[in-house]
Amino acid sequence: MNDVGGAALQFAFVAALYAIATALIGVRTGRQELIRSAERATFGVFALVSVAMIALLFAILTHDFRVQYVTSVSNLSMPIFYLIASLWGGQEGSMLLWLWVLTLYGAIAVAQNLHRNRELMPYVVPTLMATSILFLAILIFAENPFHELAQAPLDGQGLNPLLQNPLMVIHPPNLYLGFVGFAVPFSFAIGALASGRLDSQWIRSIRRWTLIPWLFLTVGILLGGQWAYVELGWGGYWAWDPVENASLLPWLTATAFLHSVMIQEKKGMLKVWNMSLVILTYGLSIFGTFLTRSGVISSVHAFAESSLGVYFLIYLAIALTIAVALLVWRLPELRSDHRLESVLSRESSFLFNNLFFVGIMFSVLWGTMFPIISEAVRGVKISVAAPFFNQVNVPLGLALLLLSGVCPLIAWRRGSVRNFQRNFLNPLVVSLLGVAVLYGSGIRHVVALISLSICLFTFSTIVLEFYRGTRARRASTGGTAWQAFFSLMTRNRRRYGGYTIHFGVVLIFVGITGSSAYKIERDIVLDPMEQTTVGDFALRYETLESDLQPTHESIRARVEVSRNGRYVTTLFPERRFYFAQNQPTTEVALRTSLLEDLYIILAGFEPSGTATFKVFVNPLMVWLWLGGLVMIIGTLIAIWPERGQSARIGAPGTPTTETAAEQG
Amino acid sequence: MNTADIVVIVVMAIGLVAWIGEPVVRRGRMQEAAADAHDDAIERLILQKETLYTAIRDLDFDHQTGKVDAEDHVALRRQMEAEAADILRQLDLADPLADLDLVAEREILAYRRKEDAASEDTCPTCGTDLAADATYCPICGQLLKPAV
């Protein structure tokens, strides 16, 4: 099977080259059958890469330790769940998964457009295939997953214990589904530029193709944060680690694009800007892969360092040069159909939104690249720590949150000052009252007060939007408020899905504010049966327990938690020692409530039984994850296909102007 | 390499070549492509139409929820309607049967326009000509008689 897998990758390489050549020849000579043949090759590439995936999975499941990759990521004692996960637990496997997702997306995109966008497809196919060739080249020439050892060991090394976590099993595929997905919008952008079909058609074709990768990337980032929180044991969820940043960079530009694309769809404006965002997002996805996989910046994630960097950098240089050259060539044709009519309009608030997103992107990129740049220029690797990122990004992030509250209140094209004032009054009053209450209850942290007041403001504008919409809907269709609310949601999924996502973002900001402004962190040393207090919690360390498992030995402390004299729970912070990898890990003990998380790590212990703990109290932490959940729900609402695609509105005179009750 | 592997690899190679090569050997798909291009043009027009319709809906909605003044609403809606009419004309030229619903909608529109022109009533708020039996103004939404 290993030879079959290797051969499949080589065939796929040839087929991808063939697809590029025939598609381009086909469009030059007008021979449609060549373009059809190229499209078939994309399906072929997908099938072949699938064969390679199956072959590698087969090798892992049958414990074929002749294969170097299998030896490095799995062993005989691993349960089947983690055996499957080890398919992407190492360098070669994760590249293969990446490639497989890419070819899957490519095949779906081509299948969807067999009778549509015919002028674009001869360029879409080569762009998709070029990306596949990058990964195929790496898998064939640099990191062959089917490479066999001269002599097979009796057992493998097993998967890194830090990765043996259910979150880590689904986190990488999620990120890849996100990263890789942006190749499709990019290839359509290239198709539009190369073919000259620059109207909004391509933008519409990729609408879902941007939202779906965005959803996966969002989920991937959140899962990564959750994994860091429960598995790495330093009490936080985001450390501005280069690899975390790598996943955030394309997310930022993609989010900017999701907003600005609405202006192009509605107004035919910002065409060059949107093109640039798509190109940038794709470039950053490849760059993110490069950061993660090349080990250029050492970080907790750089599990495997390798010399892949050259492949990525050469490819990135070529791809971006071609994309930018095409963009410059088409500049005269990308003029806007309309001009910005008023500073006080939704269009202009979208522009600000985009500037902030791109601003954050550049600051994160700069902070991430700084160690490499400083090493190259001055020979010293200077890491940029979290304070830099926070100082720059907290104000920008809060400004964005405020915009997400302001923007929906302003009309397209032209907002009038009178309407603006009327719409703003209530949310403003709510947020000021809220701040007064918070101040009264003893909160003095300035940034937290600002952040929470913006959260309240944005939250009340969202509620207002839903309320007004429901009222207008009910005025026209009658029925109960719930029926009106439901029909409002189904009539404009994108808008109300978007508001739902904004609500999730508000919750995330609440979680971040609470857990960073009011975090309690304590290092404590306790003898058995000794007691201490952290925040409101009384902790009593009772005893150490040890347990011997086939793969690891574990030592855990029994800690009784009470508050105000009342028993709350018993927690078991734990340290494990994995024999195969010769590696210790920490298992966090966590008690979550809507108000705060109590987070205990067993940092060390002595034979006498004296133990060292690191204890965190992270207020409002759970709201971050709940907010993520709300974002996912909102995105699903927005993605869900509309029934009856064609939007019908009445001619003047039919009851679509449903304001009777409100006006009268 | 064992025999089974060799057989699988050979089958894979033959299958791939046959699958990719078939369109080139068969050819004769030019007409299909030409038809596709024509469909593309029509689809593009229909999309433009739908974009405008959505924009009009959004405008109405913004007006209802108090974000757009009656004055702006009338002006912007007129402008969009003119653009929509232009696209409908282009669609008609491209293929009169492309969208039967569209034809029906146009007829209704024309009928209502005629009716509107015949009536002498105007809206007290925005001055739009109204149909004789209008319950509320089609442009600004002003209630004219109590709803039934």
Side-chain angles (χ1 to χ4, degrees), chain A residues 31-361:
Chain A
R31 291 177 62 185
Q32 287 296 317
E33 71 273 10
L34 288 182
I35 297 169
R36 285 280 174 228
S37 175
E39 285 171 336
R40 285 209 172 184
T42 60
F43 299 133
V45 170
F46 167 62
L48 289 165
V49 175
S50 305
V51 169
M53 283 282 276
I54 293 167
L56 190 59
L57 187 62
F58 183 79
I60 291 171
L61 291 179
T62 54
H63 299 297
D64 186 350
F65 294 123
R66 283 175 305 164
V67 181
Q68 189 184 9
Y69 180 75
V70 176
T71 312
S72 65
V73 296
S74 69
N75 61 23
L76 292 170
S77 66
M78 268 163 56
I80 182 132
F81 182 61
Y82 290 123
L83 277 179
I84 294 171
S86 60
L87 187 60
W88 54 83
Q91 181 88 298
E92 297 88 340
S94 60
M95 303 288 259
L96 183 59
L97 175 69
W98 190 292
L99 173 67
W100 183 74
V101 174
L102 176 65
T103 57
L104 170 67
Y105 275 151
I108 296 172
V110 170
Q112 277 180 340
N113 289 287
L114 285 175
H115 300 287
R116 289 163 50 200
N117 292 319
R118 295 312 301 161
E119 287 145 315
L120 265 59
M121 293 315 284
Y123 305 100
V124 170
V125 168
T127 313
L128 286 168
M129 287 298 104
T131 317
S132 309
I133 282 176
L134 165 68
F135 288 90
L136 281 165
I138 289 170
L139 287 168
I140 295 169
F141 303 114
E143 303 271 345
N144 188 350
F146 299 104
H147 179 73
E148 289 188 3
L149 296 163
Q151 198 171 6
L154 290 174
D155 195 3
Q157 292 153 12
L159 192 64
N160 186 327
L162 282 177
L163 301 182
Q164 297 199 24
N165 174 305
L167 289 170
M168 223 39 201
V169 173
I170 44 175
H171 164 68
N174 252 300
L175 272 186
Y176 295 177
L177 283 163
F179 270 149
V180 179
F182 292 121
V184 178
F186 174 74
S187 63
F188 274 84
I190 294 293
L193 285 173
S195 68
R197 304 272 4 172
L198 294 160
D199 49 46
S200 291
Q201 165 84 9
W202 76 274
I203 288 269
R204 282 175 160 271
S205 303
I206 59 158
R207 190 192 277 167
R208 281 210 181 78
W209 277 110
T210 337
L211 263 178
I212 291 171
W214 183 86
L215 173 64
F216 281 121
L217 200 55
T218 308
V219 175
I221 292 172
L222 287 165
L223 285 174
Q226 171 96 106
W227 171 75
Y229 188 60
V230 301
E231 191 70 22
L232 293 183
W234 55 275
Y237 43 85
W238 190 266
W240 299 107
D241 175 273
V243 176
E244 290 167 346
N245 295 346
S247 63
L248 190 63
L249 291 170
W251 185 89
L252 289 166
T253 49
T255 314
F257 174 75
L258 286 178
H259 288 94
S260 67
V261 72
M262 282 185 241
I263 299 188
Q264 179 163 354
E265 273 181 41
K266 286 188 199 297
K267 302 289 304 286
M269 290 159 61
L270 302 181
K271 291 176 183 168
V272 178
W273 177 247
N274 280 326
M275 265 314 167
S276 313
L277 282 179
V278 172
I279 294 169
L280 203 56
T281 304
Y282 173 77
L284 288 170
S285 307
I286 301 287
F287 182 73
T289 323
F290 158 71
L291 277 188
T292 326
R293 289 292 145 206
S294 67
V296 130
I297 302 173
S298 53
S299 83
V300 286
H301 291 76
F303 293 111
E305 299 218 349
S306 72
S307 55
L308 293 179
V310 188
Y311 284 86
F312 280 108
L313 288 184
I314 291 174
Y315 176 79
L316 207 54
I318 295 173
L320 290 185
T321 308
I322 292 175
V324 172
L326 280 171
L327 184 62
V328 172
W329 178 46
R330 291 289 184 192
L331 269 184
E333 292 162 66
L334 286 167
R335 256 191 306 258
S336 287
D337 304 346
H338 298 268
R339 276 185 308 163
L340 206 60
E341 284 164 44
S342 157
V343 183
L344 190 62
S345 65
R346 203 176 290 170
E347 286 90 332
S348 65
S349 74
F350 272 50
L351 265 180
F352 283 114
N353 147 307
N354 267 244
L355 289 180
F356 287 136
F357 269 117
V358 173
I360 294 178
M361 188 278 288

Side-chain angles (χ1 to χ4, degrees), chain A residues 382-582:
Chain A
I382 302 171
S383 285
V384 179
F388 163 80
F389 290 103
N390 290 336
Q391 256 168 26
V392 179
N393 293 325
V394 167
L396 285 174
L398 288 176
L400 263 176
L401 183 65
L402 184 63
L403 262 186
S404 76
V406 172
C407 176
L409 295 183
I410 316 174
W412 289 110
R413 289 179 187 232
R414 210 178 315 174
S416 70
V417 178
R418 197 171 57 84
N419 286 331
F420 196 68
Q421 286 168 339
R422 196 176 68 191
N423 286 322
F424 269 76
L425 196 61
N426 289 335
L428 212 60
V429 168
V430 168
S431 71
L432 288 178
L433 278 178
V435 170
V437 169
L438 290 171
Y439 192 83
S441 66
I443 291 182
R444 294 290 184 273
H445 195 290
V446 179
V447 181
L449 278 176
I450 295 174
S451 167
L452 292 175
S453 69
I454 296 176
C455 284
L456 266 172
F457 175 82
T458 304
F459 174 66
S460 38
T461 63
I462 295 170
V463 171
L464 200 65
E465 274 295 300
F466 275 104
Y467 170 70
R468 287 214 178 121
T470 308
R471 200 176 54 175
R473 201 71 210 125
R474 202 176 168 196
S476 64
T477 56
T480 64
W482 278 114
Q483 284 167 338
F485 177 77
F486 187 72
S487 100
L488 181 78
M489 292 285 275
T490 45
R491 265 170 68 97
N492 199 341
R493 288 177 203 280
R494 268 176 106 199
R495 176 187 293 211
Y496 292 97
Y499 290 159
T500 311
I501 297 172
H502 286 175
F503 174 53
V505 174
V506 168
L507 294 182
I508 287 179
F509 269 84
V510 169
I512 294 174
T513 307
S515 64
S516 49
Y518 285 92
K519 179 190 212 119
I520 301 174
E521 182 176 350
R522 288 272 308 277
D523 289 307
I524 46 177
V525 183
L526 293 176
D527 288 325
M529 303 313 282
E530 198 183 348
Q531 186 165 328
T532 187
T533 54
V534 178
D536 292 345
F537 294 102
L539 308 178
R540 194 171 66 147
Y541 163 49
E542 294 182 336
T543 175
L544 273 186
E545 299 165 0
S546 86
D547 185 20
L548 197 62
Q549 298 281 330
T551 52
H552 62 269
E553 186 187 4
S554 91
I555 308 281
R556 58 182 203 169
R558 194 184 170 88
V559 181
E560 200 184 273
V561 182
S562 57
R563 178 155 52 182
N564 303 327
R566 229 177 291 159
Y567 170 81
V568 177
T569 184
T570 305
L571 293 176
F572 299 93
E574 181 179 344
R575 279 187 85 80
R576 286 186 188 165
F577 187 82
Y578 283 84
F579 308 123
Q581 294 84 8
N582 204 6

